[in-house]
Structures are given as C-alpha cells and as structure tokens.
Amino acid sequence: MKIVDVVCAPGRTGFFFDDQKAIKAGAVSDGAAYFGDTMTPGFKSIRQAGESISVMLVLEDGQVAWGDCAAVQYSGAGGRDPLFLAEDFIPVIDKYIKPALVGKEADNFRELTKMMEAIEVDGKRLHTAIRYGVSQAILDAVAKSSKRLMSEVVADEYGTTVSETPIPIFTQSGDNRYENADKMILKGAAILPHALINNVETKLGRDGSKLKEYVCWLRDRILKLRTDESYCPIFHIDVYGTIGQAFGDENYKAMADYLAELEEAAKPFHLRIEGPMDAGEREKQMLCLKGLREEVDRRGINVELVADEWCNTLEDVIYFCDNKAGHMAQIKTPDLGGINNTIEAVLYCKDHGFGAYQGGTCNETDRSCQVCVDCAMATKPDQILAKPGMGVDEGYMIVYNEMNRVLALRKAKKC
C-alpha cells in the first residue's frame, strides 16, 4: 500500500525543555519556572514548553499512520542535537522527508527507516527528533497496510517473538519523591522511584546520608503500604553523577563502600543506581563505569550500575556494552534517532548479556510512548520507562494501558 501524502502538525510534549547548563550553573527556581540567563544555544528562557511534531502518513486507502517527533528534556546538552522547535523543523520534514516517502510502498519497516536515516542536509543527518517521529509513523504505516500490530511487524522483521507477559514498568517521581512513591506503591509499579537525586548538598548528602535515609524510608513505606507480600519492586535511583561528586569519580573503593551501605539499606529489595558518576566525556565515563563495576562485582555487592550520561546513541550503547561499563544501559529512545536504532540497541544488549533499559524522556508524547511499548513487546527489554511527564500518573497510565492492549489483541487473535 502506497504512502500518498505526508502531513505535519505542531504539538506539545508531556514536560519541558530545560537549559541544563544554566540550571547546573545555579539558575534560581521559582515555582515551575527558572530565572537567570540562558546558556545553551536556542533557548529563550531556561525552561520552555516542550514541543513536538506529529508526522502523519496518509495511505492510499485513506488510513493515516502517525508518529511524534520529540526531543529530550535537556536538548542541546552533552553533545545532543539542538533545541527542537516545531516552526524550525516542519519545513525540514516537508522539504526532505515528504518527497522521499510519497509514492513508496509501506511494506518494509527496516528498509524505509534505513532510507530515512541516510538522508543528509549539508552533510549532517536529520535531527534525532525528526528521525524518531518519522520512524514511528513508518512502523504504524507498515502495520496498518499489512493488518498487523506494530509489535508484530517488529517481531517479524527482526526475528523475535512478541512477549506474552508485560514488560516491567519503571516509574519516575520527579522532586516529589515521597508522595509519588506512595502512588507508585499503590499502583503496583514494578520498578521505582527514579527520585531525581541531582544535587549533592540537598539530596545525596556530602557523605551520602540523605539518599541513604530516603532509601530506608522507601523500604519501610513499601513494607507498610503493600497489601501483598509478593509485591517486591526493584529500587532504581538516578543520582546524576552525584556519588562521583561526593566520593570521587575514580575512587571506586569509596563509591563501592557507599553502594554496599545502600544495598543493605534497601533490603529486602534489589537496588539499581543510574549514573553514579559523570566524568565529563564519553571515554572517561566508560572507563569509570567499567572500573566501578569491576570493584562492585569483585566484592559481591548486589547493586546494578546503569549507564546514562555519555551513553546516548546506538554506537554509544554498543561501546558501553562491549566494555562492560556498568551492568545495564538506559537506551534513551529520542537520542537514538529512528526507533529502529532503539530496537537494535535492545537486541544487542540482550545478545551480549548486558541489561537493556528502554528509557527515554519525560518530554515525550502519548504517541511516541505507545510506539515504544510496541517495540518493547517485540524485543523484551528488562524494563521500560513510564513516560511522558514527570511523575507517575500520566506516563504509567499510557505505557501500562498500551501494553495491555497489545496483550489482549494478541490473545484474541489466538482464540
């Protein structure tokens, strides 16, 4: 079935674009806003409304397939593509994507995304957000034209099978880490709470005591609120490099000592720590995570380390995986460009014994998250992020409901 038109519409995301450089430099927060001078090119204010572009592929039978272009909260930071604004990039899609897709048969997801990924403008690939959204629309178009679920298209083309059980969902609290933890527990989230530990003084503690106190509170809160003793969620806490700030990025012994304390505090629950350090560039980050993993493993400390900072692209994920830099990678879906790269990253990690966390950003849309769920159901990562939004409500609902729709439709087909 041919694609006969490509139509774009501007949209909003589930969170904001934040100028990370300005925030790290001390921008003052006031309510939901920040005040101070911007430091990342393209930003007019430190916090701006998140923007997206819906890319709609009109098929010759009148069906419309669609996906949403979206970029991460901290756009333009850490080597990422620049701030993604709809008015800047709709003309790019109309000029370069539309003529490439109109008239093409929507019959092969991998081939169409390969063609899209190869498009260059002035010697550069298209913005990651464009490739992310267009690839979603292509997957939907192939699914609609062949009367399959998106998860079935992925499974068929990559030689996998669609999961018959839910993928564990990881929920994020934002700064409201106490009340939102209660919501996560009451809703039965499998992995929690993220916790946003992004400041040494106020959230980690110079000696790590503030985070340790929070872990103890979270442990006790689950034991108090759970109604079934079989509910045993994994603790996954993103520390944004603050453990390295407090103890030294290469002081593996001191960091491991602290992780052993957190492991004990979390019992009987298993603990994952994301981004224990931020070494400032990819090679050093890889070496630091590799060194800390070796120390943790040698001492039998049962804490998993999750790669985040400087592990952004498909190539980065492969590099960290091959070097055993941590135990798991966050595969940040918008940063990888086409959703095909997310699929390949998950499968590579699984094939090489490395944890695969299909993540992303709070700054996505309902549609991008639904497509991510279908990809996860076909590739079976260890966990998937509840998104969009900073908190447990909307993101958990969108991911949980889409996953169960896939399971129900698959079951109905077999009956």
Side-chain angles (χ1 to χ4, degrees):
M1 187 176 297
K2 284 186 171 60
I3 299 167
V4 298
D5 201 3
V6 177
V7 180
C8 292
R12 290 295 194 201
T13 62
F15 201 62
F16 299 93
F17 291 128
D18 286 342
D19 184 344
Q20 186 185 59
K21 193 172 182 181
I23 292 171
K24 284 188 173 182
V28 177
S29 63
D30 183 354
Y34 284 93
F35 290 93
D37 295 329
T38 61
M39 299 180 70
T40 301
F43 279 82
K44 295 180 180 178
S45 58
I46 294 173
R47 169 163 282 180
Q48 297 180 203
E51 296 189 19
S52 65
I53 299 172
S54 286
V55 178
M56 294 167 279
L57 307 184
V58 182
L59 304 179
E60 59 184 331
D61 67 350
Q63 292 187 90
V64 177
W66 60 290
D68 280 352
C69 305
V72 297
Q73 174 187 2
Y74 298 122
S75 290
R80 293 185 174 99
D81 281 351
L83 187 66
F84 185 74
L85 302 177
E87 67 175 3
D88 294 338
F89 288 100
I90 286 178
V92 174
I93 296 170
D94 287 339
K95 184 174 181 179
Y96 296 98
I97 295 293
K98 185 172 182 175
L101 288 181
V102 169
K104 292 290 192 302
E105 291 284 347
D107 58 359
N108 190 294
F109 168 70
R110 296 181 76 173
E111 287 302 316
L112 286 171
T113 52
K114 182 179 179 181
M115 176 202 69
M116 176 207 63
E117 291 272 3
I119 295 172
E120 292 188 351
V121 179
D122 298 327
K124 295 182 179 180
R125 297 169 78 184
L126 295 170
H127 195 293
T128 50
I130 291 178
R131 290 183 275 132
Y132 188 45
V134 173
S135 62
Q136 296 165 34
I138 290 172
L139 179 56
D140 190 27
V142 174
K144 282 184 164 67
S145 66
S146 60
K147 294 182 171 58
R148 289 176 289 171
L149 301 178
M150 288 185 286
S151 56
E152 293 170 338
V153 172
V154 173
D156 290 345
E157 294 196 17
Y158 286 86
T160 66
T161 56
V162 179
S163 180
E164 296 182 355
T165 58
I167 307 299
I169 301 174
F170 171 38
T171 49
Q172 56 183 339
S173 66
D175 270 329
N176 193 4
R177 62 188 59 81
Y178 292 94
E179 182 180 349
N180 279 336
D182 279 0
K183 293 180 181 180
M184 294 169 185
I185 298 164
L186 294 171
K187 293 186 177 188
I191 303 150
L192 74 181
H194 184 274
L196 198 69
I197 307 299
N198 59 0
N199 184 281
V200 172
E201 298 293 342
T202 61
K203 297 177 183 178
L204 184 85
R206 268 290 150 201
D207 58 355
S209 58
K210 291 183 183 295
L211 175 56
K212 185 177 176 181
E213 288 171 6
Y214 177 72
V215 170
C216 290
W217 175 86
L218 183 61
R219 173 202 66 205
D220 293 343
R221 195 66 174 166
I222 293 170
L223 295 175
K224 180 178 181 179
L225 292 182
R226 69 181 182 182
T227 57
D228 185 339
E229 289 188 3
S230 67
Y231 177 59
C232 197
I234 292 170
F235 289 11
H236 182 135
I237 297 174
D238 191 346
V239 299
Y240 290 84
T242 54
I243 293 177
Q245 285 180 262
F247 297 97
D249 288 344
E250 298 176 75
N251 191 348
Y252 307 136
K253 181 183 182 304
M255 284 197 285
D257 287 342
Y258 177 60
L259 292 173
E261 291 182 27
L262 292 181
E263 176 197 9
E264 192 63 30
K267 287 181 178 177
F269 305 106
H270 179 60
L271 179 64
R272 291 177 181 147
I273 294 292
E274 182 174 345
M277 77 289 290
D278 182 350
E281 53 93 15
R282 188 180 86 148
E283 182 67 15
K284 189 174 181 182
Q285 181 74 359
M286 183 279 291
L287 291 171
C288 286
L289 266 178
K290 177 181 174 69
L292 183 56
R293 171 178 169 162
E294 289 172 351
E295 179 71 11
V296 165
D297 289 354
R298 182 184 66 80
R299 292 169 56 177
I301 298 169
N302 189 25
V303 175
E304 290 180 278
L305 306 174
V306 183
D308 181 4
E309 282 80 14
W310 304 100
C311 185
N312 297 322
T313 65
L314 173 59
E315 293 74 20
D316 293 339
V317 172
I318 291 171
Y319 186 59
F320 277 65
C321 173
D322 286 348
N323 284 282
K324 293 182 169 56
H327 300 94
M328 171 182 282
Q330 185 196 164
I331 298 161
K332 296 186 287 292
T333 50
D335 279 339
L336 274 75
I339 198 77
N340 50 299
N341 293 323
T342 290
I343 293 165
E344 292 180 16
V346 171
L347 294 176
Y348 190 90
C349 287
K350 287 167 61 68
D351 286 346
H352 292 80
F354 204 67
Y357 156 29
Q358 187 183 297
T361 174
C362 54
N363 193 49
E364 293 193 47
T365 72
D366 54 345
R367 183 54 174 174
S368 68
C369 300
Q370 289 167 349
V371 179
C372 283
V373 168
D374 273 83
C375 292
M377 292 299 286
T379 57
K380 305 183 186 74
D382 295 283
Q383 64 188 52
I384 182 173
L385 180 65
K387 55 184 185 177
M390 185 60 76
V392 68
D393 296 320
E394 62 278 15
Y396 188 76
M397 174 188 67
I398 290 166
V399 171
Y400 181 91
N401 290 357
E402 179 68 10
M403 197 178 298
N404 280 288
R405 280 190 287 267
V406 172
L407 289 168
L409 287 169
R410 290 277 296 169
K411 184 176 179 181
K413 282 187 174 185
K414 292 177 182 179
C415 293

